[in-house]
Amino acid sequence: MIKDIFERFADLIYKQKCVVCGCSKTNQILCKNCLKAVQNLSPYAQRKVQGVNIFCAAKYKDSIKILIRNFKFNRRKSAAKPCAEILYSYFKKVCEANELNLNPKNSILVCIPSHPLRVFRRGYCHTELITKEFSKLSGINTDFTILKKVRNTAPQYKIRADKKARNVLGAFQAKYKNRYKDKTIILTDDITTTGATLNEAVFELKKNNYNNIICFTLAC
């Protein structure tokens, strides 16, 4: 709490620096030059789990990697906005390329949640903050109540690829069957590698009759 207050106070006095190059000319956490360096991916599904497409906006390297790591581990909450802007820009390209009609009337945003203990330690759920900013850009409403993380798993980046699925087994719980029977669940996350986390979340959602799902992640 004290650190958050200090950071906000510092932002009023000093210009915010880009977390990648340290530039303070634009007063942004990710400057335009470093944003251009983000390696964007094609607007077609990079992965698929249980018949559900996973679309990844960028390669997890260079600028995007530094931005996400600062967001998750250095309490840089202001990173939520550029993360959401990158994801939303990609989202529009995906909808156009795949002729997807995902709009506020027929869609709902749901994120991969953090465990309450992780939220307490960090001070926020980073995927929830990204999804809230995404909602502002897209006009699509959020629902952070239908999917909860009920088991505090080890961070996936610390787990071997062949152990990731086991690490998240039974980690999520979905509620409120049929709440969005006629809507598409847009499931968001920051990073996907093997797709184990999204696979487990999709499995739990489908158990509760959420069958129309599409996944978007910031990086892979």
Side-chain angles (χ1 to χ4, degrees):
M1 179 70 72
I2 295 174
K3 188 173 181 180
D4 283 343
I5 294 171
F6 175 79
E7 287 176 353
R8 290 172 187 172
F9 180 71
D11 286 342
L12 293 174
I13 302 174
Y14 305 105
K15 283 190 174 182
Q16 184 165 241
K17 292 182 179 180
C18 173
V19 293
V20 179
C21 69
C23 169
S24 62
K25 291 181 179 179
T26 59
N27 195 29
Q28 295 176 330
I29 195 168
L30 186 68
C31 71
K32 292 181 180 180
N33 287 335
C34 291
L35 177 60
K36 289 178 182 178
V38 172
Q39 187 176 332
N40 299 309
L41 295 176
S42 78
Y44 299 100
Q46 279 78 33
R47 287 167 179 60
K48 184 173 284 195
V49 292
Q50 299 180 61
V52 173
N53 286 327
I54 302 175
F55 295 92
C56 309
K59 205 71 177 168
Y60 185 58
K61 60 186 294 187
D62 303 330
S63 298
I64 202 75
K65 183 176 183 178
I66 295 171
L67 181 67
I68 292 174
R69 289 185 68 83
N70 270 272
F71 188 24
K72 293 176 73 171
F73 307 120
N74 295 333
R75 297 176 61 87
R76 300 300 297 271
K77 291 174 69 173
S78 57
K81 188 173 181 179
C83 285
E85 289 171 346
I86 292 168
L87 188 58
Y88 180 60
S89 176
Y90 176 70
F91 171 81
K92 291 190 293 183
K93 292 175 183 176
V94 168
C95 289
E96 182 178 353
N98 296 274
E99 297 183 352
L100 297 175
N101 183 29
L102 300 175
N103 59 56
K105 291 183 178 180
N106 63 21
S107 310
I108 197 78
L109 286 164
V110 177
C111 70
I112 294 292
S114 297
H115 189 271
L117 284 176
R118 192 71 57 82
V119 174
F120 177 77
R121 290 170 187 157
R122 182 180 289 144
Y124 55 88
C125 174
H126 65 293
T127 51
E128 190 172 307
L129 292 185
I130 292 174
T131 308
K132 284 179 178 178
E133 292 293 336
F134 187 98
S135 175
K136 292 176 186 177
L137 294 168
S138 65
I140 301 171
N141 289 331
T142 62
D143 190 329
F144 301 128
T145 66
I146 68 170
L147 186 65
K148 296 293 183 182
K149 192 165 189 182
V150 294
R151 191 163 66 79
N152 193 19
T153 61
Q156 285 288 72
Y157 74 91
K158 293 183 177 181
I159 306 298
R160 276 174 29 188
D162 60 337
K163 303 289 185 182
K164 289 181 185 290
R166 183 176 180 180
N167 183 51
V168 294
L169 186 65
F172 302 102
Q173 184 180 73
K175 300 193 298 182
Y176 312 121
K177 288 186 178 181
N178 299 317
R179 174 179 277 188
Y180 300 111
K181 185 172 62 174
D182 300 320
K183 291 194 175 188
T184 298
I185 301 293
I186 302 174
L187 184 60
T188 62
D189 200 4
D190 59 339
I191 307 166
T192 185
T193 51
T194 63
T197 300
L198 288 170
N199 182 69
E200 189 65 22
V202 166
F203 174 75
E204 184 63 25
L205 286 167
K206 284 190 171 186
K207 271 173 51 179
N208 284 266
N209 294 340
Y210 299 104
N211 294 310
N212 195 7
I213 307 168
I214 190 168
C215 301
F216 281 88
T217 72
L218 185 59
C220 64

PDB file of all heavy atoms in Angstrom, residues 150-161:
ATOM      1  N   VAL A 150      -8.819 -22.093  -7.261  1.00  0.00           N
ATOM      2  CA  VAL A 150      -9.064 -22.642  -5.925  1.00  0.00           C
ATOM      3  C   VAL A 150      -7.849 -23.380  -5.359  1.00  0.00           C
ATOM      4  O   VAL A 150      -7.867 -23.796  -4.201  1.00  0.00           O
ATOM      5  CB  VAL A 150     -10.279 -23.588  -5.940  1.00  0.00           C
ATOM      6  CG1 VAL A 150     -11.549 -22.808  -6.247  1.00  0.00           C
ATOM      7  CG2 VAL A 150     -10.097 -24.718  -6.957  1.00  0.00           C
ATOM      8  N   ARG A 151      -6.819 -23.541  -6.179  1.00  0.00           N
ATOM      9  CA  ARG A 151      -5.593 -24.175  -5.688  1.00  0.00           C
ATOM     10  C   ARG A 151      -4.407 -23.290  -6.036  1.00  0.00           C
ATOM     11  O   ARG A 151      -4.247 -22.887  -7.187  1.00  0.00           O
ATOM     12  CB  ARG A 151      -5.429 -25.571  -6.318  1.00  0.00           C
ATOM     13  CG  ARG A 151      -4.340 -26.407  -5.678  1.00  0.00           C
ATOM     14  CD  ARG A 151      -4.486 -27.874  -6.041  1.00  0.00           C
ATOM     15  NE  ARG A 151      -4.269 -28.128  -7.447  1.00  0.00           N
ATOM     16  CZ  ARG A 151      -3.051 -28.216  -8.021  1.00  0.00           C
ATOM     17  NH1 ARG A 151      -1.966 -28.051  -7.294  1.00  0.00           N
ATOM     18  NH2 ARG A 151      -2.946 -28.467  -9.311  1.00  0.00           N
ATOM     19  N   ASN A 152      -3.607 -22.969  -5.036  1.00  0.00           N
ATOM     20  CA  ASN A 152      -2.468 -22.067  -5.235  1.00  0.00           C
ATOM     21  C   ASN A 152      -1.293 -22.847  -5.817  1.00  0.00           C
ATOM     22  O   ASN A 152      -0.491 -23.436  -5.093  1.00  0.00           O
ATOM     23  CB  ASN A 152      -2.072 -21.415  -3.910  1.00  0.00           C
ATOM     24  CG  ASN A 152      -1.111 -20.256  -4.119  1.00  0.00           C
ATOM     25  OD1 ASN A 152      -1.002 -19.713  -5.211  1.00  0.00           O
ATOM     26  ND2 ASN A 152      -0.401 -19.874  -3.067  1.00  0.00           N
ATOM     27  N   THR A 153      -1.202 -22.854  -7.130  1.00  0.00           N
ATOM     28  CA  THR A 153      -0.180 -23.641  -7.820  1.00  0.00           C
ATOM     29  C   THR A 153       1.148 -22.891  -7.904  1.00  0.00           C
ATOM     30  O   THR A 153       1.200 -21.669  -7.762  1.00  0.00           O
ATOM     31  CB  THR A 153      -0.642 -23.968  -9.247  1.00  0.00           C
ATOM     32  OG1 THR A 153      -0.847 -22.731  -9.962  1.00  0.00           O
ATOM     33  CG2 THR A 153      -1.935 -24.748  -9.230  1.00  0.00           C
ATOM     34  N   ALA A 154       2.198 -23.617  -8.174  1.00  0.00           N
ATOM     35  CA  ALA A 154       3.491 -23.000  -8.441  1.00  0.00           C
ATOM     36  C   ALA A 154       3.410 -22.264  -9.778  1.00  0.00           C
ATOM     37  O   ALA A 154       2.671 -22.684 -10.680  1.00  0.00           O
ATOM     38  CB  ALA A 154       4.587 -24.061  -8.500  1.00  0.00           C
ATOM     39  N   PRO A 155       4.130 -21.141  -9.941  1.00  0.00           N
ATOM     40  CA  PRO A 155       4.112 -20.430 -11.219  1.00  0.00           C
ATOM     41  C   PRO A 155       4.525 -21.348 -12.365  1.00  0.00           C
ATOM     42  O   PRO A 155       5.508 -22.092 -12.244  1.00  0.00           O
ATOM     43  CB  PRO A 155       5.153 -19.315 -11.002  1.00  0.00           C
ATOM     44  CG  PRO A 155       5.184 -19.111  -9.525  1.00  0.00           C
ATOM     45  CD  PRO A 155       4.972 -20.475  -8.928  1.00  0.00           C
ATOM     46  N   GLN A 156       3.795 -21.290 -13.466  1.00  0.00           N
ATOM     47  CA  GLN A 156       4.048 -22.196 -14.580  1.00  0.00           C
ATOM     48  C   GLN A 156       5.442 -22.040 -15.184  1.00  0.00           C
ATOM     49  O   GLN A 156       6.011 -23.006 -15.696  1.00  0.00           O
ATOM     50  CB  GLN A 156       2.985 -21.996 -15.670  1.00  0.00           C
ATOM     51  CG  GLN A 156       1.617 -22.577 -15.350  1.00  0.00           C
ATOM     52  CD  GLN A 156       1.567 -24.093 -15.388  1.00  0.00           C
ATOM     53  OE1 GLN A 156       2.109 -24.765 -14.508  1.00  0.00           O
ATOM     54  NE2 GLN A 156       0.908 -24.621 -16.406  1.00  0.00           N
ATOM     55  N   TYR A 157       6.000 -20.825 -15.128  1.00  0.00           N
ATOM     56  CA  TYR A 157       7.314 -20.624 -15.734  1.00  0.00           C
ATOM     57  C   TYR A 157       8.411 -21.378 -14.978  1.00  0.00           C
ATOM     58  O   TYR A 157       9.511 -21.583 -15.493  1.00  0.00           O
ATOM     59  CB  TYR A 157       7.654 -19.130 -15.837  1.00  0.00           C
ATOM     60  CG  TYR A 157       8.013 -18.449 -14.534  1.00  0.00           C
ATOM     61  CD1 TYR A 157       9.338 -18.388 -14.097  1.00  0.00           C
ATOM     62  CD2 TYR A 157       7.033 -17.857 -13.749  1.00  0.00           C
ATOM     63  CE1 TYR A 157       9.663 -17.760 -12.899  1.00  0.00           C
ATOM     64  CE2 TYR A 157       7.351 -17.234 -12.556  1.00  0.00           C
ATOM     65  CZ  TYR A 157       8.665 -17.183 -12.142  1.00  0.00           C
ATOM     66  OH  TYR A 157       8.987 -16.565 -10.967  1.00  0.00           O
ATOM     67  N   LYS A 158       8.118 -21.814 -13.760  1.00  0.00           N
ATOM     68  CA  LYS A 158       9.085 -22.573 -12.966  1.00  0.00           C
ATOM     69  C   LYS A 158       8.950 -24.079 -13.170  1.00  0.00           C
ATOM     70  O   LYS A 158       9.747 -24.856 -12.645  1.00  0.00           O
ATOM     71  CB  LYS A 158       8.917 -22.254 -11.471  1.00  0.00           C
ATOM     72  CG  LYS A 158       9.276 -20.832 -11.081  1.00  0.00           C
ATOM     73  CD  LYS A 158       9.154 -20.640  -9.572  1.00  0.00           C
ATOM     74  CE  LYS A 158       9.575 -19.231  -9.166  1.00  0.00           C
ATOM     75  NZ  LYS A 158       9.478 -19.043  -7.686  1.00  0.00           N
ATOM     76  N   ILE A 159       7.938 -24.474 -13.913  1.00  0.00           N
ATOM     77  CA  ILE A 159       7.619 -25.895 -14.082  1.00  0.00           C
ATOM     78  C   ILE A 159       8.068 -26.385 -15.459  1.00  0.00           C
ATOM     79  O   ILE A 159       7.902 -25.694 -16.468  1.00  0.00           O
ATOM     80  CB  ILE A 159       6.098 -26.126 -13.924  1.00  0.00           C
ATOM     81  CG1 ILE A 159       5.598 -25.558 -12.590  1.00  0.00           C
ATOM     82  CG2 ILE A 159       5.767 -27.603 -14.033  1.00  0.00           C
ATOM     83  CD1 ILE A 159       6.195 -26.184 -11.369  1.00  0.00           C
ATOM     84  N   ARG A 160       8.640 -27.591 -15.494  1.00  0.00           N
ATOM     85  CA  ARG A 160       9.030 -28.202 -16.764  1.00  0.00           C
ATOM     86  C   ARG A 160       7.808 -28.384 -17.655  1.00  0.00           C
ATOM     87  O   ARG A 160       6.693 -28.602 -17.167  1.00  0.00           O
ATOM     88  CB  ARG A 160       9.665 -29.571 -16.511  1.00  0.00           C
ATOM     89  CG  ARG A 160      11.131 -29.529 -16.169  1.00  0.00           C
ATOM     90  CD  ARG A 160      11.680 -30.892 -15.797  1.00  0.00           C
ATOM     91  NE  ARG A 160      10.984 -32.008 -16.434  1.00  0.00           N
ATOM     92  CZ  ARG A 160      11.224 -33.283 -16.116  1.00  0.00           C
ATOM     93  NH1 ARG A 160      12.101 -33.579 -15.183  1.00  0.00           N
ATOM     94  NH2 ARG A 160      10.565 -34.245 -16.727  1.00  0.00           N
ATOM     95  N   ALA A 161       8.025 -28.303 -18.963  1.00  0.00           N
ATOM     96  CA  ALA A 161       6.919 -28.371 -19.918  1.00  0.00           C
ATOM     97  C   ALA A 161       6.065 -29.619 -19.727  1.00  0.00           C
ATOM     98  O   ALA A 161       4.830 -29.560 -19.805  1.00  0.00           O
ATOM     99  CB  ALA A 161       7.451 -28.311 -21.348  1.00  0.00           C
TER     100      ALA A 161
END
